Amino acid sequence: MRFIHLKNFPWRPAILSCALVCLAIAPARAVAQADKAPAATDPAAAGKDKSAPKISDDKAGLPPLPAEAHAAQTIQLDGKPLHYTVTVGALPTRDGDGKVAGEVVVTAFTVEGANRPVTFAFNGGPGAASVYLNFGAIGPKRVDAGNEGASPSDPANLVDNPGTWLDFTDLVFIDPIGTGFSRSTVDEATTKKLFYSTAPDIEYLSRIVYDWLVKNDRLSSRKYLVGESYGGFRGPRITHYLQSQLGVAMNGVVLVSPYLNPTIENDGDLSPLPWMMTLPSITAAHFEREKKLTPEAMADVIAYTQGEYATTLLKGRADEAATQKMIAHVTELTGLDPAFVKFSGGRIETGAYLREVHREEGKLGSVYDSNVTSYDPFPFAPEQRANDPILASIVAPLTTAMVDFVTRTVGWKVDARYNALSYDVGRHWDRDSAELRQGSVPDLREAVAADPKLRVLIVHGWNDLSCPFMGSVLTVNQMPLMGDPSRVSVREFPGGHMFYTRPDSRLALRKDVMDMYSKH
């Protein structure tokens, strides 16, 4: 997980679209420049410099972040030892006047060898640290979490990850300001201006990528980005910014359950798009429960959604016979109560569905995978009041595992709180900016058009309702064909937003990514 779906914030009364790890997901409805040296700001010195950004009172007494720490480790991968070094440290980011305004903590896994690729990883939210991709998907170690039956009190044991990408690329996990141990060193108003809005977020994180490459003499390496959820929103924009503004070109981009089009589900009273987005994922979850989920079955669902379902919704009351036929077919596809589908008009709203699908068991489905459930502590409330089932179970084990790994295993003895998911970032994020509403598809198109060798792999879980796979299918189908059609492709796997928590899906993702990397 890693990310917070912007629509899952309590301040937004709708739910649908994408990004991950909801910051404040209570109800499912409620859904710059940096130096090369990883130095920390000296609050006392900054206080004496009248030109420096003001450091807020609550930050003035913070102990400095430790110097960079390293540890040699080994895992067994495909029956062979893989030796690597993990490095944890901070890179500073600066304001427009060159003053240090924040410290971005980076966790890098590197293997000895010439000309190895390097992959930069971001999670989403905004407000989520990169631990979800690190310990859930692609790092050399993993924690079992995020699946049906998981508990926040389960042991947070790290084990070797057979789905890691480390044997074919070095991995650099970046925690944006306010997440993980990364932090702002300026006052709240300046923090919001410099870090908690779309354009500044893209600019300073791009510079962190650039500075890590320069600091580690890796500008000549093949370079890749992977972003999940809102990190998938960041991916195309960081790629394009690096390419066009900082002069660093990516070879490939992997977008995991990306939040590409923030406004795609608007106007549900008139547009069929919101309902086209959700129907296939709701159907996939039902097919999975019935042991009928296959790519072939889903191909038929996608064809129906793009064809007869869309046209029937557009006709509305002008064709009552088609509407009744559609309602009957949606009932069959989803396995939901016929009365529920009838009174929904065949338009299955996500929040209502997540309460309805497991209501007989007294449980809620997760927006990230509706087949992952928890008991509903407020079953008679008019709207969902409980936290999302996956978020409720995954933050504790990932936080425990990461803090123990960084402080004990690597020896980076930091005295600070770790934010796997920051509610503070979510509260302060500028969610009304035109830059956010624009989405990242224009940057995706421009980056692909500018570089005929750039490859983009978009991956989703079938069951995800926070960032439904259908959104990426529709997006890519509308892109112009720029050379080889396989340069931008969409793949789906069993599971949800964090489909990689399932071992088979994690291994299938590894195989597809290895194939993409091999083409360079």
Side-chain angles (χ1 to χ4, degrees):
M1 235 185 213
R2 10 302 130 323
F3 34 108
I4 288 170
H5 187 342
L6 288 172
K7 302 211 162 174
N8 290 343
F9 291 167
W11 34 254
R12 181 115 184 199
I15 151 184
L16 219 157
S17 230
C18 357
L20 195 231
V21 189
C22 236
L23 264 179
I25 279 199
R29 279 188 66 90
V31 171
Q33 292 175 329
D35 284 344
K36 300 176 191 176
T41 304
D42 180 350
K48 295 174 183 176
D49 184 352
K50 296 186 184 303
S51 65
K54 177 186 174 185
I55 297 177
S56 61
D57 292 339
D58 63 328
K59 294 172 183 174
L62 289 176
L65 293 179
E68 197 172 76
H70 312 268
Q73 295 194 304
T74 302
I75 63 167
Q76 294 295 316
L77 186 64
D78 295 331
K80 300 176 183 178
L82 176 64
H83 305 289
Y84 61 92
T85 299
V86 56
T87 301
V88 179
L91 287 170
T93 184
R94 299 179 181 273
D95 66 10
D97 296 324
K99 303 299 182 181
V100 173
E103 298 163 298
V104 177
V105 176
V106 176
T107 303
F109 298 88
T110 56
V111 175
E112 287 294 325
N115 301 317
R116 277 178 57 83
V118 57
T119 299
F120 297 91
F122 300 88
N123 269 103
S130 60
V131 65
Y132 302 90
L133 280 174
N134 187 352
F135 287 167
I138 68 176
K141 296 287 186 177
R142 65 176 178 85
V143 174
D144 282 324
N147 294 313
E148 176 68 357
S151 165
S153 60
D154 286 340
N157 297 326
L158 288 176
V159 297
D160 292 354
N161 179 16
T164 186
W165 301 0
L166 186 57
D167 55 327
F168 59 87
T169 177
D170 290 341
L171 299 168
V172 181
F173 295 91
I174 297 174
D175 291 337
I177 296 294
T179 75
F181 291 116
S182 297
R183 65 192 189 187
S184 168
T185 57
V186 294
D187 62 84
E188 183 176 288
T190 308
T191 296
K192 291 172 66 174
K193 178 181 176 182
L194 294 179
F195 303 120
Y196 295 163
S197 187
T198 300
D201 176 77
I202 298 303
E203 291 169 12
Y204 90 82
L205 289 175
S206 297
R207 185 60 191 264
I208 291 295
V209 171
Y210 174 89
D211 283 353
W212 190 94
L213 288 167
V214 173
K215 177 179 182 290
N216 292 278
D217 299 322
R218 297 297 296 273
L219 280 170
S220 62
S221 298
R222 285 187 289 139
K223 295 169 281 290
Y224 298 83
L225 286 177
V226 55
E228 178 182 7
S229 198
Y230 189 81
F233 176 99
R234 287 172 168 139
R237 300 191 75 153
I238 290 176
T239 298
H240 190 217
Y241 190 87
L242 283 166
Q243 181 191 76
S244 62
Q245 302 297 313
L246 298 184
V248 175
M250 295 291 108
N251 295 92
V253 183
V254 181
L255 305 178
V256 180
S257 308
Y259 181 63
L260 293 173
N261 287 298
T263 61
I264 195 171
E265 79 288 356
N266 287 0
D267 300 320
D269 291 335
L270 293 175
S271 171
L273 283 175
W275 319 114
M276 292 172 66
M277 293 272 286
T278 57
L279 178 62
S281 292
I282 291 172
T283 300
H286 174 61
F287 283 3
E288 183 174 78
R289 293 191 295 273
E290 297 291 311
K291 307 282 194 293
K292 296 176 181 177
L293 180 61
T294 65
E296 294 76 21
M298 288 306 299
D300 291 340
V301 174
I302 292 170
Y304 172 72
T305 301
Q306 292 178 309
E308 186 177 345
Y309 182 66
T311 57
T312 301
L313 290 176
L314 285 170
K315 291 176 184 177
R317 68 180 188 180
D319 191 339
E320 185 61 27
T323 296
Q324 294 307 313
K325 179 182 177 184
M326 176 268 287
I327 289 173
H329 192 49
V330 169
T331 301
E332 179 184 0
L333 289 175
T334 62
L336 293 168
D337 185 290
F340 176 80
V341 178
K342 174 185 176 182
F343 292 117
S344 298
R347 299 159 173 84
I348 311 302
E349 195 274 330
T350 304
Y353 162 74
L354 293 174
R355 303 194 77 198
E356 180 68 22
V357 63
H358 302 288
R359 188 181 291 276
E360 290 295 325
E361 306 164 69
K363 292 184 175 183
L364 299 166
S366 169
V367 69
Y368 302 112
D369 181 344
S370 61
N371 284 341
V372 177
T373 66
S374 65
Y375 288 104
D376 186 353
F378 307 102
F380 308 120
E383 291 187 341
Q384 181 178 329
R385 290 169 57 187
N387 198 357
D388 182 87
I390 285 181
L391 292 187
S393 69
I394 200 170
V395 171
L398 288 180
T399 299
T400 297
M402 191 65 185
V403 173
D404 184 65
F405 177 76
V406 165
T407 60
R408 184 180 60 82
T409 303
V410 182
W412 199 64
K413 297 295 186 180
V414 60
D415 180 8
R417 173 186 172 179
Y418 179 82
N419 289 299
L421 184 61
S422 169
Y423 291 79
D424 190 58
V425 173
R427 279 193 297 268
H428 290 103
W429 195 266
D430 180 6
R431 56 193 177 274
D432 298 319
S433 71
E435 286 279 352
L436 176 61
R437 293 193 299 273
Q438 176 182 312
S440 60
V441 175
D443 292 89
L444 175 63
R445 289 187 177 203
E446 290 205 51
V448 171
D451 187 347
K453 295 183 179 179
L454 177 66
R455 306 190 76 87
V456 181
L457 176 63
I458 304 174
V459 292
H460 284 270
W462 291 117
N463 301 352
D464 184 13
L465 283 167
S466 78
C467 295
F469 75 88
M470 198 66 193
S472 291
V473 170
L474 294 170
T475 295
V476 172
N477 284 348
Q478 294 301 318
M479 288 179 63
L481 187 61
M482 295 178 277
D484 178 2
S486 71
R487 283 209 298 139
V488 182
S489 59
V490 182
R491 290 273 287 113
E492 300 90 23
F493 304 90
H497 194 74
M498 292 163 283
F499 61 86
Y500 50 72
T501 61
R502 302 192 185 193
D504 289 346
S505 294
R506 186 168 61 248
L507 290 174
L509 171 64
R510 167 184 158 86
K511 180 178 181 298
D512 283 355
V513 172
M514 286 182 70
D515 181 63
M516 187 187 89
Y517 280 41
S518 72
K519 290 181 167 58
H520 291 110

